[in-house]
Amino acid sequence: MVLPRRVAMLAVHTSPLEQPGTGDAGGLNVYVVETARRLAQRGVEVDVFTRATSSTAEPRVQLDDGVVVRHVAAGPYEGLGKEDLPGQLCAFAAGVMRAEAARPPGWYDLVHSHYWLSGQVGYLAADRWQVPLVHSMHTMARVKNLALADGDMPEPASREIGEAQVVEAADRLVANTADEACQLIDLYGADPGRVAIVPPGVDLDRFTPGDASQRAAGRAALGIAPDAVVLLFVGRIQPLKAPDVLVRAVAHLLAVRPGLRRHLVVPIVGGPSGSGLREPESLVRLAAELGADDVVRFERPVGGDALVRWYRSADVVTVPSYNESFGLVAVEAQACGAPVVAADVGGLREAVADDVSGVLVDGHDPRRWAQVIGDLLDDPARRARLAAGAVAHAGRYGWDHTVDRLLDVYDQARQPPSDDLVVRSALDLQPVR
């Protein structure tokens, strides 16, 4: 394998410097940071291009040795939603081109774009520089539109068209799971021979179960009683992530188990995002309307050791999303020894091993969720078994393994087309070895 010297990584709509859990920052941000750092540790320099959202942002920020974040001016710094960004892609592309033009010819060996907006710019940059384009979708409009949350808006046709163009242009498409790979093929007509399955990872040095004293200290720091029952949600507050399903399930639990109210704590760790920005207080109002506002706590998004503290303090972590391309929160929580109750959708079917590391729930009926959660709370032995399984399952997903496979994809993308790389059908798709 011949490693690329330099990779241009594109994350137009959200910066790797942003805190995941609010706005447009989430698993994509974590993916970019963790893979870029580990690529640099292997000797591959990475420039991450993202749109400047503040006039005070430095044009160039050193994220780590060998990793630079470059802020590109494209449109107003503030007040632009993700839906407004297609109109700024020309300006963003021009900024990327100017940065490359200031370097010697052939500076970048490969472009890796994240999300369809970045793919549109990556398409142009890779064509201009005559280098391969590797693209990660992260989310797809056609997948989201097939399973819309109540009150959510469908993704526009312009996004579907833009995604289809990127699928056609990319030399390699990186899918998080076999399920996502099949969606690319079935819904977008992707060439199976250009789809590679590379699961994301988790920082297994940071996200660990800890011991009893660490759990107790974490609860104390968070203001949680030692005997509290903690049902945790971590993520952006928007219909797609379905935190309302948890709040409604909690209301049902309290109705049938009124004594649980004395001990129950339900932290919602995250901030409004996407269509959730239209009514940022709607979840707060829902908790009050359902009489659960005394147990539901709304907490700001956090990262690093503070996030580990939340996971370790939880008895159960819930991921009720209507769709996830993978579900990093689920894997992080499991790495910290927390059983996960997750929706039986998309990448969560791989991120959570049903009845081994957690429980997959069919559908989003709050009564069903209340039953599953209640059954777990009634069975400490089962929770202990799932907690042990959670740590073992998450241990399969280290970021170093992700980057090993990603480098294989980069190597394949830089090779001339060959018949032996062609995959004949979706059934033949296998993770990159």
Side-chain angles (χ1 to χ4, degrees):
M1 180 191 301
V2 178
L3 298 181
R5 298 165 301 163
R6 301 179 189 89
V7 170
M9 201 170 280
L10 307 181
V12 172
H13 75 288
T14 180
S15 169
L17 303 178
E18 295 294 327
Q19 169 61 55
T22 190
D24 290 318
L28 184 156
N29 304 68
V30 177
Y31 189 106
V32 169
V33 169
E34 298 293 348
T35 57
R37 282 176 168 163
R38 284 164 176 78
L39 286 168
Q41 291 166 5
R42 310 288 182 90
V44 180
E45 294 181 30
V46 180
D47 281 355
V48 182
F49 292 88
T50 190
R51 195 179 78 87
T53 56
S54 170
S55 60
T56 61
E58 294 291 335
R60 181 183 184 278
V61 177
Q62 192 84 32
L63 178 64
D64 212 335
D65 290 343
V67 182
V68 173
V69 176
R70 297 184 178 275
H71 290 111
V72 178
Y77 292 115
E78 298 176 356
L80 281 186
K82 190 163 57 176
E83 65 278 4
D84 301 315
L85 293 183
Q88 303 305 321
L89 294 183
C90 183
F92 188 90
V96 173
M97 296 298 175
R98 281 195 296 271
E100 189 273 344
R103 300 291 193 176
W107 186 256
Y108 296 111
D109 297 309
L110 182 138
V111 176
H112 188 169
S113 52
H114 295 270
Y115 193 67
W116 79 276
L117 294 170
S118 301
Q120 289 280 312
V121 178
Y123 180 7
L124 176 62
D127 184 67
R128 176 69 61 88
W129 302 338
Q130 291 298 289
V131 299
L133 172 63
V134 174
H135 181 72
S136 298
M137 295 293 274
H138 293 281
T139 63
M140 292 178 274
R142 289 174 182 170
V143 174
K144 180 179 177 182
N145 288 345
L146 287 172
L148 277 179
D150 292 341
D152 212 354
M153 296 291 291
E155 294 296 316
S158 57
R159 175 179 170 182
E160 291 191 21
I161 294 168
E163 289 177 340
Q165 290 171 333
V166 175
V167 167
E168 177 65 26
D171 295 279
R172 286 292 184 278
L173 293 159
V174 175
N176 290 332
T177 64
D179 187 55
E180 185 182 359
C182 290
Q183 290 166 345
L184 283 164
I185 295 164
D186 296 340
L187 298 179
Y188 289 86
D191 175 1
R194 292 188 288 120
V195 178
I197 303 169
V198 183
V202 62
D203 185 343
L204 295 172
D205 293 325
R206 165 166 278 165
F207 293 93
T208 63
D211 55 28
S213 64
Q214 289 172 313
R215 175 182 169 89
R219 283 196 166 200
L222 295 169
I224 297 173
D227 63 344
V229 175
V230 180
L231 304 179
L232 176 65
F233 173 93
V234 173
R236 289 170 286 167
I237 299 176
Q238 58 172 280
L240 176 68
K241 302 294 184 180
D244 63 296
V245 171
L246 172 60
V247 173
R248 295 179 191 278
V250 165
H252 284 298
L253 270 175
L254 293 176
V256 298
R257 304 174 184 220
L260 185 59
R261 190 181 295 272
R262 294 192 302 272
H263 304 287
L264 188 62
V265 179
V266 186
I268 308 287
V269 181
S273 171
S275 54
L277 291 169
R278 291 196 299 268
E279 294 185 77
E281 298 299 317
S282 62
L283 197 64
V284 177
R285 291 198 302 271
L286 178 65
E289 290 166 4
L290 296 175
D293 52 332
D294 58 328
V295 299
V296 176
R297 285 175 49 174
F298 291 92
E299 302 285 343
R300 63 182 180 85
V302 294
D305 293 340
L307 183 55
V308 172
R309 191 178 299 126
W310 277 113
Y311 288 141
R312 288 177 177 171
S313 297
D315 292 288
V316 175
V317 173
T318 62
V319 187
S321 306
Y322 282 86
N323 186 65
E324 292 284 353
S325 62
F326 186 63
L328 284 177
V329 164
V331 182
E332 290 173 348
Q334 290 170 104
C336 292
V340 172
V341 175
D344 187 8
V345 298
L348 289 171
R349 297 177 181 132
E350 179 170 321
V352 178
D354 192 29
D355 204 36
V356 174
S357 66
V359 182
L360 294 173
V361 183
D362 184 20
H364 296 82
D365 181 352
R367 293 181 183 274
R368 172 62 179 150
W369 278 75
Q371 179 184 353
V372 170
I373 292 169
D375 288 347
L376 269 183
L377 297 183
D378 286 341
D379 195 341
R382 186 184 181 206
R383 289 207 315 276
R385 175 176 63 80
L386 293 177
V391 175
H393 182 67
R396 302 167 53 205
Y397 295 102
W399 281 114
D400 286 326
H401 188 45
T402 299
V403 171
D404 287 342
R405 298 172 120 174
L406 202 55
L407 285 170
D408 283 339
V409 175
Y410 289 176
D411 187 54
Q412 290 181 13
R414 296 170 68 208
Q415 300 298 322
S418 173
D419 288 342
D420 64 359
L421 292 179
V422 175
V423 181
R424 300 301 177 187
S425 74
L427 296 178
D428 297 327
L429 281 168
Q430 296 294 331
V432 174
R433 299 297 180 189

